[in-house]
Amino acid sequence: MAPGLRGGARLIPAGRFAPSPTGTLHLGNLRTALLAWLYARAQDAPFLVRIEDLDTGRVRERFEREQLDDLAAIGLDWDGEPVRQSARLDLYADALATLEAAGLVYPCWCTRAEIREASSAPHGPLPEGHYPGTCRRLTHEERSEREASGRPPALRVAADAAHVAFTDRVHGAQEGVVDDFVVRRNDGAFAYNLAVVVDDGAQAIGEIVRGDDLLDSTPRQLWLAERLSLARPTFAHVPLVLGADGARLAKRHGAVTLADRIEQGETTADVRARLAASVGLCDPAERPSPSELVVRFDPTGFTPPPSGPLPGL
Ligand code: GLU
């Protein structure tokens, strides 16, 4: 049966986990994957894995294999073969062409330092850190000068500081302003925000469950989905695991990967239980199976604690 089709021809929107194969998954990534899987499976929805491998400079093949092995080791399964973004460049090119045809794309020659400087102060409706649209307002001369420089431009959307509102299952009502974000980098790579929206649309992802570091990207992605006539998914942005110092979990925090924990004498069931217990899905002493967790998981009532360290780590 094709993913997405269960119970006859009724389309059940899928869930997904979309890791970038640029390193080993740590316990925070694994907890996000577990929760994305639980949201999907508790609603009897398909669950897909997508390999976000567009950043060719940082991607390593061995991480892809290792990440899939780690997901399977903690008891997660997925429908169909994982797709790789690197095999879907035509789809992103088509989407970009649609945006270009609608006059929604412009070239940007700004360097990182110029962007940092330009966005370091609030600009009208745009909060600090957002690109203020410098290259959209170039005079004819300024533009010719940049074109002649030979430096390839990035491509940005003209979003006109649009307001986008949405409801997140975990964070409630949200609203954000959309800046002129990049859809193709100046090295020619399609940007994360473009690829993710195209893929979530093409794969009929109905509910996006991911770390809440991406909550701020959601207005951009919803804006883009609308411009590309793609259905609006729902969202659950789940808390991140932090190190004891309050920073995002990273290698320097110690034994933070599945392999590290196994080396410390834990089993995969111990690790799954630790992840589940940290968001209130079981007692620390329990060792629930994946299917027991699915039965317990209530997508509408799940209220995880805020981002923080994993107890006992
Ligand atoms: N590939 C992204 C990451 O690993 C996740 C993108 C998403 O879930 O939207 O951070």
Side-chain angles (χ1 to χ4, degrees), residues 16 18-20 52 192 196 208-210 214 221:
R16 49 74 156 178
S20 306
E52 301 212 322
Y192 156 70
V196 80
I208 295 179
V209 179
R210 59 188 179 189
L214 289 166
Q221 294 174 13

Side-chain angles (χ1 to χ4, degrees), residues 57-143:
R58 296 176 56 224
V59 163
R60 298 288 173 271
E61 213 179 301
R62 77 174 171 93
F63 290 131
E64 178 186 317
R65 273 193 312 276
E66 196 185 276
Q67 291 184 344
L68 295 174
D69 288 349
D70 283 0
L71 296 178
I74 61 161
L76 310 189
D77 63 348
W78 48 90
D79 295 287
E81 286 299 312
V83 301
R84 283 191 198 89
Q85 288 192 320
S86 57
R88 300 163 69 81
L89 302 182
D90 288 353
L91 286 177
Y92 314 136
D94 283 353
L96 186 57
T98 302
L99 297 172
E100 277 174 329
L104 288 169
V105 175
Y106 67 89
C108 169
W109 286 269
C110 290
T111 61
R112 264 171 214 262
E114 282 165 344
I115 294 168
R116 218 173 15 249
E117 195 181 327
S119 61
S120 64
H123 285 265
L126 288 175
E128 205 174 307
H130 282 53
Y131 181 70
T134 318
C135 280
R136 194 177 171 192
R137 291 187 298 271
L138 296 178
T139 61
H140 189 69
E141 254 169 37
E142 287 169 331
R143 193 179 160 131

Side-chain angles (χ1 to χ4, degrees), residues 175-279:
E175 194 181 338
V177 185
V178 182
D179 68 340
D180 290 359
F181 59 93
V182 170
V183 282
R184 206 184 69 196
R185 303 184 337 191
N186 81 340
D187 63 1
F190 294 106
Y192 156 70
N193 278 311
L194 177 73
V196 80
V197 167
V198 169
D199 283 334
D200 285 334
Q203 296 187 288
I205 304 297
E207 180 147 76
I208 295 179
V209 179
R210 59 188 179 189
D212 62 15
D213 52 330
L214 289 166
L215 190 62
D216 287 351
S217 300
T218 305
R220 291 172 172 158
Q221 294 174 13
L222 284 171
W223 181 88
L224 202 49
E226 202 175 317
R227 304 282 143 340
L228 294 170
S229 310
L230 297 170
R232 198 178 231 247
T234 57
F235 293 88
H237 285 90
V238 297
L240 302 183
V241 173
L242 307 180
D245 57 359
R248 265 189 224 186
L249 200 63
K251 230 188 247 169
R252 68 189 159 81
H253 289 115
V256 296
T257 67
L258 182 61
D260 293 340
R261 300 315 305 172
I262 286 178
E263 209 170 286
Q264 304 277 313
E266 292 177 19
T267 65
T268 51
D270 294 335
V271 173
R272 180 171 59 244
R274 183 197 285 281
L275 300 176
S278 72
V279 284

